[in-house]
Structures are given as C-alpha cells and as structure tokens.
Amino acid sequence: MAELLRVHVDPEPIVLAARGLTVRAGRKLLLRNIDLSVRRGQVFGVIGPSGAGKSTLLKVFNRLVDLEAPPLRVEGEVELDGMPLYGSGVDPDELRRRVGTLFQQPVIFPKSIRANALFGVLHHEKMNRNHQEERLEESLRGAALWDEVKDRLDEPATTLSVGQQQRLCLARALAVRPEVLLMDEPTSSLDPRSTEAIEELILSLQDSHTIVLVTHDLGQARRVAGVVACICLRDGIGEVIETACCGDIFSNPRCAETREYLNRRAGQ
Amino acid sequence: MSRLLDRIFRVVTGACAFGACALFLGIAGTILVKGLPAIDWQFLLLGPGEQFGSGGILYQTLGTLILVATALAVSAPLAIGLSLIQTTYLDSVRAKRRLRLAIYTANGVPSILFGIFGLILFGQLLGWGKSWLAGGLVLGAMILPTLTVALVERIEALPTKYLAAAAAAGLNRSQIVRSVILPQTRGGLLAGALLGLARAAGETAPIMFTAAVFSGATLPSGIRESPIVALPYHIFVLAQDSFNPAAHSQMWGAAAVLLGLVVLLSLLALPARLRSAEEAHHG
Amino acid sequence: MTRRLDPLRLASWGTSFLVGGFFALMLMLFVLQSLPVFFNEGVGYVTGKVWHFRAETFGVLPMIYGTLAVSAIALLLAGPIAIGAALFTSEVLSSRKRLWIKVPIELLAGVPSVVYGLLGIFLLRGWIYQLLEPFDPLSGDTLLTAGVLLAVMVLPTVMTLSDDALRSVPASQRRAARGLGLTVSQTAHRVSLPQAAPGIVAALLLALGRALGETIAVFLVVGRQDNQWPETFFSLRPLVEAGQTLTSKLGGSETFLAYGDPLHWAAMIGLALVLLILVATLTLIGGRFTTAKITSGKQP
C-alpha cells in the first residue's frame, strides 16, 4: 500500500520514456506505437506472451538493437533523463554504462570471480587497489553474493552454481553503478531458491536503482513490480495493451487481450 | 579516449582486411591482364608448336585434368574410410585424439616430400620412371589429409539429435553411417573434393620428380615410363627461362588458364563450405 | 558376430591401415635412404656449414638457416596483417558483410604456388631490387624476396583460421561485454582475443609449417646460393642476399644429379628427413594448442 501511495501521491521524475516507439527488422514491424514511462525508483514489470517483443523493448533502452544483425530500426522518441537515446552525438557505449543489463542466461567470462565482478568498471574508471576492493565488496554485497564468495574471489567464476553466476552478473552490472537496470527474464533458468534470492534483491535494489523487469512469471510480476505493462500481439505486431499499477492489472484488466493472456497463464 | 581508440581499431583492422582482399584482386588482375591476350581457341585446343614455348596448351590442360582425376579417385574412398574411423568406429577418446593428431600431422607434410617419396617408391623401387599414375597417386596422398579433415569436421558438425534418433531406432553403426552420416555429409564431401582438386591442380613439387616432363609427351598409354605434360610444371619451366620473351605469352596464358581452373573449383566449393561453417557457428 | 562381418566397418579399417602404412613407409624410406650420410658425417650433417658434393662434404646448417629466415620474415609480415583482418571480420563486420572479405581471401589461399613464383620473378624481384638499390644488391633474388612472397602465401591461412578461432567465442559473451558499455575494441581486447589466443597461435604455427615446406615459389626467387652462413645474426644484411632453403635445394636439379651416388643421394634424402622432422614438430606443438582449445571449449 505504501508503494502505491508513493507512486500516486508523490510522483518521482520520469527516468525512461518512450513515445510512439516503433521497431522494425528490415520491413517487418516488431513493436508498434509504444508509449510508456518509467519513474525513478520504480520496478517496472513487462509481461506478455512470448514473441510479443518484450526483449526487443529492453534492447531499445540500452541500444543493444544496434548490435543485432542486421541492426533493428528504431523510430519515435526514447529518452533517458530527458535526453534522446537515438539522437546524433549519443555514444551508445556511454549509454550502456548508465543502463545495465541482466540477460536470461548468466554470461560468465572465463576469468576469476573478482575479474568478472570488476570486468566492466575497470574500463570506465581508473581505480587504485583499495578502491577496487571497495567496489568489489560493494557490488557483491549488492548482489547478495559477498558472504558466499568472499573467501574464494580468485577462483574461476565457472565453479559457481548457475544461480550464483546470475547474481555475479548482477554484481558486474552494479559495479558500473548504472542508473537503470534492465532485466530480461533473469530467473527463467534458475531454481526456485535462486529465483527467490533474485526477487528479494530486486526489491532491495529498488531504493537506489530504476528497474525494468521483463518476466514470464506473473507471480513474480505481482511480487516485485510496482507498475506492469502488458505487451500483446495485435495483427502479429507487439503493442502495449495496457499499463497499470500492479494490483489493478491483475484484478481488473481493461483490455480483452490482457484478460485472455492472464486467463491462459492462470489456466496453465 | 576509448572512442578514439575504437576508431583507430576499426580503421587499422579494416585496412588489413581490405589490403588482403586487394592483394587477391591485384594478383588475379595481373595474371588476367598478362594472360588473356594469349588465350584464344587455338591456344586452348592445339598441341605444342615447333619452337620453344609456341603453340597451344591442350595436352598440358588434359594432363592436369588426368592427374587430378586420378588423385581424387584414389583419395576420396580412403578419406571416407578414415573419417568414419575417426568419427564413428573408434570408441576410445585417446585413440581418437591420436588419430586426429596423425591426420593433422599428415596434413602438414610439405608437398615436395610427397614428390621425393614418389620418386623413391614409384621411380626407384617399382621402376616406373616418370609415370602419370605415380603423379596421380602422389597428388592423391597429398590431398588425402585435407579431404579427411574436411569430412571429419562436417560429420562432427552433424546435430547429435540425428544420430541419437537413428541409434534409438535400433540401427547399428554401419546402418547409421549409411542412412544418416553419408547422406547428410554429401555437401561436405563435395566441398572437400573440389578444394582437394583445386590444390592438386596447382601443385608442381609433387609431380616434378614423379610424372611431369616439359615436352615430348601427349596422352599416356601405359604405366611404366609414361610421363605427362601438365600446366603447373609447364609454367614452372618457362618461368625459369625468364629471359626468353618468345615463351612469355604462352607462360602467362597458361598461368591464366591454371588460375581460372583453380578459382573455378574453389568457387564451386564455396557455398557448401560456407554453409557448413555457418551451421557450425550456430549449432 | 555381425559386427565383425560388417563390410563397411572392415573397409574403413582396411583403408585406414593402407593410409597409415603409406605414411609409415614414407618415414621409413627417408630414414633408411639417408642413413649413409649420417654414418659418414655424423652430427656434422646438421651442424656443418659447408655443402660441397664434389668434395663429399655435406652440412645443412645454412639451408636450415635459410628456411627459418624466409619463414620468419613471412610470419612477421603476414601475422599482424592477417590477425588484423580476422579481427575486422569477426569483431567489426556483421555476418553478411563478412563474406565480401572472406571470399577473396579464401580464393587467395587457392592461388597455385607456381603463379606466386611467376609474379615473384616478374614483379616482386624487380621491386625488391629497386628498394635495395642503396645497398648495392647483386640481384633481386634474396631471402627477403622469398620471405615477402611467402608472407602473401600464408596470409590467408592465418587469417581464415584466426577468424574461425575468434568466431568460436560465444556471441553472448560479446553481447554481455557490450551491455556493460565496452567498446568494440575493448571487447575484442578483453573478451575475444584472450579466448581465441590458443587458436590464433595454432594458426600461426600451421602457417609456419606451410612456409617451411613451400618449394616452388621460394625456389624461383631465393637465388639458390649454397653455403650462405651469416657472420653475425645482428645484421639484416644476410637477408638481402641470395640464399638456399631445404626445399629449394630439394627441388633443384641436384636431386637428379645425386641419383647415382649413394652418399650424395643420402645427403639429399637427409634434407627431406630434416624438413619432415621440423614440420612435424611444429604440427605437434600446434596440435597441443588446438586440443587445449577443444577441451576448454567443452567446459560449461
């Protein structure tokens, strides 16, 4: 209840915004006319059937769309803190430092745990030893991994379990100190215990970060997201059908597509 | 700073890549510019003339075709057998690793050593003298590892689900080979064969001691003392006599024909090769 | 029971033993036929600096030097360019545009060595002579000329295999690095190159093997001057003089000349044996790298 109040009564500034966003791969439309805005400190859930373009939407926000082959074309306005993401003079690499990403599967570099956690940040900031150790501890604590790995920081990261690897990926993203975290079904390859750990983390990170969470798991959206957008296919093209506070969308979906999707998921 | 470095990285590596491509275009262009004026129907369809380096290169072309056809006929069945042993019939991981290492080592043997070996085996011990068959066999031995590696890589790139499905249906290994592996790797065999042909067609060192003469041979009739004329050796001899301008036009013409033949074979092999490379990448 | 009678299986084993026997026979004949020279010269065969067959003195060290010198030049020139090109195709270009670079380079790999030799004689030799004009060279036929020609010949090998090695690094790792805000060059430096390094080393070793064994192109431009042993290794001067390699010696008319004389013949076959050992050693070292790559790739 407190969260709901905060969102309504004292609106935080908008961090991420899309207006009239359309994404194409060649001539095929993937996403059409998307409008949404994510406020500071929000956990913004994105739900919807597979293939509707949820992951594509995330890639728009950190310009990973540029790296698709062939690159996806983005039209409409996309802004981070009021700055257009696709304007001329925007450095996509600089942008990706401010917008961290957590992928479906943990991607671990064949290096030590320490090297993995500090992998990104060492390219962006000059740090001395002490500084590095501080950042390492800070990010690993942020990902609730510190107690498990503090005695084995120089072991290969591949020795960790998949759930730990995913938290290490989160620590790696946190070490860069991003403003926004994009998470693409971060628990889909994890066991229930690790999933629970990640969900708790999302809730605790909410105070310091803005999070966009794509998820398949409606229960997860219900548990952690403050606002939920439902992306469904209309004529084979992804559209945001409705956006609402979390409780509303589940108890009282306004659109037929949302209702159908929720029912189907519930029936499974 | 990192943006500048990134720029430099792109420009420098790009220059390397385009430079390497330009090298090929330059080489092919030079050969074509110098060789094309010499090529007409008479050049392609006539035998040698009276003087050194005059006349056509019909017999050299035919000789090269005979050599590479022999080489392929010998090496293709052997390569299939070897690749099946490596991929299917050997069980022990250690034996597999050893055989693979042996194949890669054989693949690295310089072509001149095949020539010397052919000279000892066929010329000296069997008393064949220079013989087209010796040349074909030696070239076959030379391309055998190349062909085998191509086949092994193709077979290993097969999705394991095919093999699992066939094994689950109760097929034994040879039945799996016949019903799944051989049909699925036909493209790889073709690509490997074409590349092997291209390599064999251009080689001089293996045939200079075993099969090729510069003149005085047309089509072979027997095995003993039955030498052959061939394009690469022909070019090789004319090139050493580089101060005799009378032979230049024939030399460049022959080089253009040889290069055309080799490039054609490589291009034919390209689609199958690229497809298997892409499959390996995405699989 | 049925396994033993399976004809396909029998045929496969049969062909393999045939092939194995063929290569074993090659090694055996090389060893047997070169024995006389080892009895005669002993270790002096590989350490001797003078080859004079009329005086029945056979030392192959200058030819080993020539072989290593031209191969080293080739690798030093071709290596950086080929790896640069491979980085461009694997890290910078998209998979569609990659073909525009890879196809010409694959074709370059197929150009016959006699064609390279031809261009070496009629173009490169002249260019090198002009380049060396200030040093008053005897001719354009030098170790350097052979090395440059070899560089062009091994470039596609290094490039193609390095590209394969770089591309075998999972795309997800590149995407993760880019997602953290690393640039293309930082990703190449920190993610792709370290993991592809064993494959790239293997590519270089394979190319070195090719360079050591290449005959025809080297034969035509190296000058084939016997007994060129450098007085000092700290000077580049010997590289701009004519030389002799193991292969250019073997490919020359002396092989026919030696045919009737057992000792001279043994000395020639000894060259083949030395070359075979050099190349096989390299391939085996290279094999260590590729198997290391294969096993590390299997880890989750």
Side-chain angles (χ1 to χ4, degrees):
Chain A
M1 222 35 213
E3 272 168 38
L4 283 181
L5 280 178
R6 197 174 57 148
V7 171
H8 284 295
V9 174
D10 180 22
E12 294 273 341
I14 292 175
V15 178
L16 269 179
R19 279 186 295 278
L21 166 69
T22 296
V23 180
R24 295 170 205 270
R27 296 171 69 183
K28 189 175 179 297
L29 272 171
L30 298 181
L31 288 172
R32 180 166 55 196
N33 216 9
I34 308 275
D35 291 307
L36 48 82
S37 45
V38 181
R39 291 177 186 278
R40 171 152 298 148
Q42 230 170 21
V43 175
F44 190 95
V46 180
I47 60 171
S50 39
K54 303 189 295 293
S55 301
T56 308
L57 180 65
L58 278 197
K59 286 180 190 162
V60 167
F61 289 135
N62 60 5
R63 288 193 63 168
L64 278 180
V65 284
D66 300 358
L67 305 185
E68 299 284 308
L72 305 182
R73 286 221 314 279
V74 175
E75 291 157 22
E77 290 173 49
V78 189
E79 289 175 354
L80 173 67
D81 289 335
M83 177 196 81
L85 291 190
Y86 289 82
S88 61
V90 175
D91 180 351
D93 298 315
E94 175 67 38
L95 165 71
R96 290 184 198 121
R97 279 167 225 176
R98 297 172 56 191
V99 183
T101 314
L102 199 58
F103 298 101
Q104 271 186 37
Q105 309 268 335
V107 181
I108 287 293
F109 299 110
K111 299 169 188 282
S112 66
I113 295 171
R114 179 198 308 273
N116 262 285
L118 294 174
F119 184 85
V121 70
L122 286 185
H123 283 96
H124 308 323
E125 297 173 38
K126 286 244 179 294
M127 291 182 162
N128 61 29
R129 259 284 140 81
N130 289 336
H131 211 134
Q132 281 182 25
E133 291 302 309
E134 279 168 26
R135 187 66 68 89
L136 180 69
E137 182 171 346
E138 171 198 310
S139 57
L140 285 171
R141 278 191 193 283
L145 194 60
W146 175 251
D147 292 331
E148 289 160 66
V149 300
K150 66 181 177 210
D151 300 323
R152 45 190 282 213
L153 290 168
D154 292 308
E155 286 179 30
T158 43
T159 57
L160 296 175
S161 74
V162 180
Q164 289 173 321
Q165 288 186 4
Q166 188 66 310
R167 276 180 282 152
L168 180 57
C169 290
L170 181 59
R172 190 172 65 197
L174 290 176
V176 187
R177 291 185 173 156
E179 297 159 42
V180 182
L181 273 172
L182 306 177
M183 301 186 178
D184 189 357
E185 302 188 21
T187 58
S188 62
S189 58
L190 302 186
D191 58 280
R193 249 194 50 207
S194 306
T195 302
E196 200 182 318
I198 295 267
E199 283 179 11
E200 278 171 20
L201 272 172
I202 293 174
L203 289 173
S204 70
L205 287 169
Q206 192 178 11
D207 298 330
S208 46
H209 297 79
T210 308
I211 296 171
V212 182
L213 169 72
V214 164
T215 181
H216 234 60
D217 179 351
L218 296 184
Q220 183 171 71
R222 217 190 284 253
R223 285 190 292 275
V224 300
V227 177
V228 171
C230 179
I231 297 189
C232 290
L233 289 167
R234 266 185 189 158
D235 324 318
I237 302 159
E239 287 188 27
V240 172
I241 301 300
E242 62 178 298
T243 311
C245 290
C246 188
D248 293 353
I249 207 161
F250 290 109
S251 57
N252 186 22
R254 288 191 303 271
C255 299
E257 282 98 338
T258 319
R259 212 170 301 137
E260 193 193 327
Y261 170 68
L262 292 175
N263 285 337
R264 209 157 11 139
R265 296 291 299 181
Q268 273 172 6
Chain B
M1 184 58 192
S2 63
R3 273 197 100 169
L4 180 68
L5 279 177
D6 209 46
R7 274 276 158 74
I8 295 172
F9 176 81
R10 283 164 194 264
V11 169
V12 170
T13 58
C16 290
F18 286 111
C21 290
L23 219 47
F24 171 72
L25 297 178
I27 286 169
T30 308
I31 296 290
L32 286 184
V33 166
K34 298 207 175 217
L36 279 185
I39 297 178
D40 53 25
W41 288 115
Q42 290 193 335
F43 183 72
L44 294 176
L45 296 178
L46 285 185
E50 297 280 303
Q51 275 119 32
F52 177 80
S54 67
I57 55 161
L58 174 67
Y59 291 114
Q60 282 81 5
T61 312
L62 287 178
T64 289
L65 293 178
I66 290 173
L67 285 174
V68 297
T70 314
L72 186 64
V74 177
S75 59
L78 295 176
I80 294 175
L82 259 180
S83 60
L84 289 178
I85 291 287
Q86 165 76 53
T87 56
T88 313
Y89 289 123
L90 268 189
D91 286 318
S92 127
V93 176
R94 183 189 259 187
K96 274 189 176 199
R97 196 183 304 145
R98 285 192 184 155
L99 180 59
R100 178 185 291 269
L101 209 54
I103 294 172
Y104 276 92
T105 310
N107 199 19
V109 173
S111 59
I112 179 84
L113 296 186
F114 286 99
I116 298 287
F117 177 55
L119 172 62
I120 299 175
L121 181 64
F122 301 113
Q124 208 180 53
L125 298 181
L126 296 179
W128 287 2
K130 276 193 176 179
S131 162
W132 64 274
L133 185 59
L137 290 174
V138 162
L139 286 175
M142 186 195 80
I143 63 172
L144 176 67
T146 316
L147 209 64
T148 311
V149 169
L151 270 175
V152 166
E153 280 172 358
R154 191 77 190 99
I155 294 175
E156 283 175 350
L158 277 182
T160 39
K161 61 183 179 205
Y162 291 164
L163 303 180
L171 274 63
N172 71 23
R173 277 190 229 184
S174 292
Q175 286 165 331
I176 294 176
V177 167
R178 262 187 288 258
S179 62
V180 180
I181 295 181
L182 289 182
Q184 292 288 331
T185 48
R186 213 173 283 155
L189 180 62
L190 186 72
L194 288 166
L195 283 179
L197 282 179
R199 202 177 147 209
E203 275 291 347
T204 315
I207 60 171
M208 60 200 276
F209 297 126
T210 53
V213 292
F214 177 68
S215 61
T218 50
L219 292 178
S221 52
I223 293 178
R224 270 167 191 267
E225 300 298 339
S226 183
I228 203 166
V229 288
L231 284 174
Y233 187 67
H234 195 69
I235 300 166
F236 179 63
V237 174
L238 290 177
Q240 288 181 71
D241 208 348
S242 57
F243 297 108
N244 187 343
H248 276 190
S249 110
Q250 196 186 40
M251 180 183 73
W252 291 111
V257 171
L258 180 64
L259 186 65
L261 184 69
V262 168
V263 167
L264 182 71
L265 288 169
S266 311
L267 276 177
L268 286 175
L270 213 54
R273 249 176 82 77
L274 291 176
R275 199 175 331 123
S276 72
E278 284 309 306
E279 276 169 20
H281 185 60
H282 294 298
Chain C
M1 275 303 275
T2 46
R3 268 174 66 144
R4 295 200 176 276
L5 292 174
D6 180 351
L8 194 59
R9 190 187 183 92
L10 279 179
S12 298
W13 279 110
T15 54
S16 303
F17 284 115
L18 192 66
V19 172
F22 183 86
F23 281 93
L25 186 65
M26 178 191 268
L27 181 62
M28 210 176 71
L29 283 178
F30 283 170
V31 171
L32 275 181
Q33 300 219 341
S34 60
L35 275 183
V37 81
F38 288 106
F39 281 129
N40 211 44
E41 299 275 334
V43 192
Y45 181 67
V46 266
T47 56
K49 294 174 193 161
V50 179
W51 176 290
H52 198 60
F53 71 88
R54 284 185 216 288
E56 300 209 326
T57 311
F58 301 105
V60 298
L61 202 54
M63 283 175 259
I64 296 179
Y65 161 75
T67 296
L68 293 179
V70 293
S71 306
I73 295 171
L75 232 56
L76 284 177
L77 289 176
I81 295 176
I83 295 170
L87 280 170
F88 188 71
T89 52
S90 67
E91 308 296 314
V92 180
L93 283 189
S94 69
S95 51
R96 285 185 194 184
K97 289 179 192 148
R98 176 175 298 135
L99 285 188
W100 289 101
I101 304 283
K102 283 208 85 172
V103 169
I105 290 179
E106 293 258 340
L107 292 178
L108 188 66
V111 175
S113 50
V114 69
V115 171
Y116 281 112
L118 203 56
L119 294 170
I121 286 186
F122 286 92
L123 297 177
L124 186 62
R125 193 158 71 168
W127 295 340
I128 297 274
Y129 187 79
Q130 281 171 3
L131 191 74
L132 297 179
E133 201 92 75
F135 305 102
D136 197 22
L138 290 171
S139 81
D141 287 333
T142 65
L143 290 174
L144 177 68
T145 320
V148 173
L149 199 56
L150 272 178
V152 181
M153 297 179 70
V154 300
L155 192 138
T157 308
V158 184
M159 191 270 165
T160 311
L161 293 177
S162 302
D163 180 66
D164 288 349
L166 285 164
R167 292 233 295 152
S168 69
V169 177
S172 61
Q173 300 222 343
R174 289 197 185 91
R175 208 181 37 178
R178 296 302 303 280
L180 285 166
L182 270 68
T183 61
V184 171
S185 56
Q186 285 168 336
T187 306
H189 175 216
R190 294 296 301 276
V191 177
S192 311
L193 269 178
Q195 291 183 61
I200 293 175
V201 173
L204 287 170
L205 287 175
L206 191 76
L208 184 56
R210 289 265 155 84
L212 293 176
E214 171 54 38
T215 306
I216 298 300
V218 172
F219 179 93
L220 289 171
V221 297
V222 79
R224 280 173 282 144
Q225 180 79 43
D226 270 333
N227 302 328
Q228 290 282 83
W229 181 252
E231 282 158 23
T232 164
F233 284 102
F234 299 105
S235 160
L236 293 177
R237 177 81 208 182
L239 297 181
V240 299
E241 285 171 6
Q244 182 83 282
T245 69
L246 292 167
T247 55
S248 66
K249 187 76 169 176
L250 268 174
S253 53
E254 207 178 312
T255 303
F256 285 118
L257 211 67
Y259 207 66
D261 173 355
L263 185 62
H264 192 189
W265 177 252
M268 296 306 291
I269 302 303
L271 296 176
L273 189 62
V274 170
L275 181 61
L276 185 62
I277 291 170
L278 266 181
V279 174
T281 312
L282 266 182
T283 318
L284 290 176
I285 298 174
R288 292 249 163 261
F289 281 97
T290 39
T291 45
K293 192 184 76 176
I294 288 161
T295 44
S296 71
K298 288 258 165 69
Q299 279 171 5

